[in-house]
Amino acid sequence: MHLSLALQEAYTREHLSARQAQRQAQFIAWGPMVFQVSRLMIKFGILDLLRDNIDGLTQAEIVKATGLSDYAVKVLLEASLSIGTVLVDSDTDRFTISKTGYFLLTDASTRANLDFNHDVNYEGLFRLEESLREGRPAGLEHFGPWPTVYEGLSELPPQVQRSWFGFDHFYSDGSFPQALRIVLDEMQPRTLLDVGGNTGRWALQCVAHSPSIEVTIVDLPQQLAMMRTQTQGLPGADRIHGYGMNLLDPKADFPTDRHYDVIWMSQFLDCFSPEQIVSILSRAARIMDADSRLCIMETLWDRQKYETAALCLTMTSVYFADIANGNSKMYHTDDLRACVEQAGLQVETIHDNLGLGHSIMVCRVLSHHEL
């Protein structure tokens, strides 16, 4: 199994003593309480108060500042001591924020993950076992009757939409500047097919970066409607086109109205099972020639520079299993490469460490004598 150097260190040998391992096991067992207490320490402003008061605050001072009851503050503070987000001076009974509490409060990735897990995943995760046994997103039924979350995105409650898109955009947007240099500056395409283009954020980046490129977004009709709303009146929007298509339909073909120099799939293939990925890539390969390139940008969990990123990615696979669709995940390089090759394509190169851990697989179509 391919693993980055950081993951080799983290995942191939035991690091904890027996007592530390037992404590970690208890931390897992109390995980739901750990999550909700920590979320409320942020929501009620307690971690903000502790960060802004370097000498710490007493329980009574926190009660006065928040308007919460003495009981509520005591429960949260004592639990947070065990969680590790606050510290206490045993002589003065003054509470201060810990390093972990500071990151929980201020780290943008952590906050996006926290909101995503509370608003999108938390209640539905009660049905994870059902999802895994049946291969369907049983947890999604908490929100509606759709077969996947993507059909229901436009109908989710506003706060859930904000957390879903906040999570999605946070991880993709940081990679766009480097991706633009690789895809547009180095490859210099005149036409780009953005498969699964969602609300058009990448397409807008492309038309802003290149004054002549034409971008066609392929997505579900309801997603294209959201895209047109998001891009309307913005510079370059007249060079962004839509092509409605159900990518899960094996009979649905990609557009052939023009030659596409680059076919772009960003944070897209992780939304599908390996069999579905092969179907999508095979149909993409049919509209490619020797001059075309398929660029797949994904957060491949095995290529992460830091283990914390791999943790976020393997946990995101649980969301896919229970909420998104019941059959996809954040992929390992070997698994995605196998799909590429099964579709009649070949990985030419992989660009790593873009943004918050993205990689771009650049693929070409195999000629008849190479198949």
Side-chain angles (χ1 to χ4, degrees), residues 6-177:
L7 303 192
Q8 283 278 356
E9 171 65 21
Y11 295 163
T12 60
R13 65 183 181 89
E14 182 64 74
H15 293 269
L16 303 179
S17 68
R19 183 163 293 187
Q20 289 170 330
Q22 183 186 39
R23 208 271 183 185
Q24 179 72 357
Q26 290 286 4
F27 201 82
I28 293 169
W30 291 99
M33 281 73 163
V34 170
F35 178 85
Q36 290 295 353
V37 165
S38 301
R39 185 184 70 85
L40 292 177
M41 286 288 284
I42 295 173
K43 182 174 182 178
F44 293 153
I46 299 175
L47 288 183
D48 273 310
L49 287 168
L50 296 179
R51 178 195 57 185
D52 296 340
N53 288 272
I54 194 168
D55 294 326
L57 295 171
T58 65
Q59 180 179 308
E61 289 171 333
I62 295 171
V63 168
K64 183 178 180 180
T66 61
L68 295 170
S69 71
D70 185 74
Y71 170 78
V73 171
K74 184 184 287 287
V75 166
L76 291 172
L77 286 175
E78 291 177 354
S80 296
L81 283 172
S82 297
I83 292 166
T85 53
V86 304
L87 302 169
V88 67
D89 185 318
S90 59
D91 294 325
T92 64
D93 290 346
R94 300 186 78 82
F95 292 87
T96 56
I97 192 169
S98 70
K99 290 179 182 178
T100 300
Y102 183 83
F103 277 109
L104 182 69
L105 181 65
T106 63
D107 180 66
S109 171
T110 302
R111 292 296 296 272
N113 293 341
L114 194 78
D115 292 342
F116 179 67
N117 279 314
H118 178 67
D119 293 325
V120 179
N121 299 326
Y122 198 85
E123 293 186 76
L125 280 172
F126 192 78
R127 300 182 66 181
L128 177 60
E129 179 179 353
E130 187 179 344
S131 297
L132 292 173
R133 288 186 181 278
E134 299 179 10
R136 66 183 186 88
L140 179 61
E141 293 176 10
H142 168 69
F143 293 117
W146 316 289
T148 73
V149 74
Y150 310 107
E151 285 94 336
L153 272 180
S154 61
E155 299 179 53
L156 291 174
Q159 179 57 41
V160 177
Q161 283 191 31
R162 282 192 291 272
S163 293
W164 192 96
F165 283 111
F167 177 83
D168 181 68
H169 294 161
F170 179 84
Y171 285 100
S172 62
D173 288 6
S175 305
F176 282 170

Side-chain angles (χ1 to χ4, degrees), residues 163-351:
S163 293
W164 192 96
F165 283 111
F167 177 83
D168 181 68
H169 294 161
F170 179 84
Y171 285 100
S172 62
D173 288 6
S175 305
F176 282 170
Q178 292 163 282
L180 287 168
R181 289 194 290 271
I182 292 168
V183 176
L184 298 193
D185 294 343
E186 294 182 17
M187 299 183 184
Q188 297 189 336
R190 294 165 300 173
T191 55
L192 183 142
L193 190 67
D194 183 2
V195 182
N198 213 324
T199 56
R201 292 171 76 89
W202 167 253
L204 284 169
Q205 296 265 351
C206 288
V207 296
H209 191 85
S210 172
S212 60
I213 193 169
E214 297 281 336
V215 179
T216 299
I217 295 177
V218 174
D219 215 320
L220 293 166
Q222 55 266 46
Q223 290 301 107
L224 292 180
M226 293 177 68
M227 176 273 292
R228 292 186 179 99
T229 299
Q230 295 289 329
T231 61
Q232 186 176 12
L234 296 177
D238 59 314
R239 289 184 282 122
I240 300 175
H241 317 287
Y243 183 85
M245 176 179 172
N246 179 4
L247 289 147
L248 288 175
D249 181 357
K251 296 180 180 178
D253 291 323
F254 285 101
T256 56
D257 58 320
R258 66 183 74 187
H259 177 272
Y260 291 99
D261 301 319
V262 168
I263 300 176
W264 172 256
M265 300 180 182
S266 173
Q267 287 188 186
F268 170 70
L269 293 181
D270 53 46
C271 301
F272 302 97
S273 70
E275 295 77 15
Q276 292 167 337
I277 292 173
V278 172
S279 171
I280 292 167
L281 293 180
S282 297
R283 283 176 279 151
R286 289 204 290 265
I287 67 167
M288 293 173 64
D289 59 24
D291 296 322
S292 308
R293 290 298 180 269
L294 170 66
C295 295
I296 301 169
M297 188 164 83
E298 287 288 344
T299 40
L300 301 165
W301 72 260
D302 60 296
R303 307 184 78 86
Q304 298 306 305
K305 189 176 181 180
Y306 302 107
E307 191 277 333
T308 301
L311 164 70
C312 295
L313 295 174
T314 56
M315 293 302 108
T316 301
S317 292
V318 181
Y319 147 76
F320 282 114
D322 189 55
I323 303 292
N325 52 43
N327 59 14
S328 75
K329 63 189 295 293
M330 306 306 290
Y331 286 100
H332 185 284
T333 303
D334 295 347
D335 296 328
L336 196 53
R337 188 193 300 270
C339 293
V340 168
E341 293 176 352
Q342 192 175 340
L345 297 159
Q346 181 183 65
V347 177
E348 277 191 325
T349 187
I350 302 178
H351 301 269

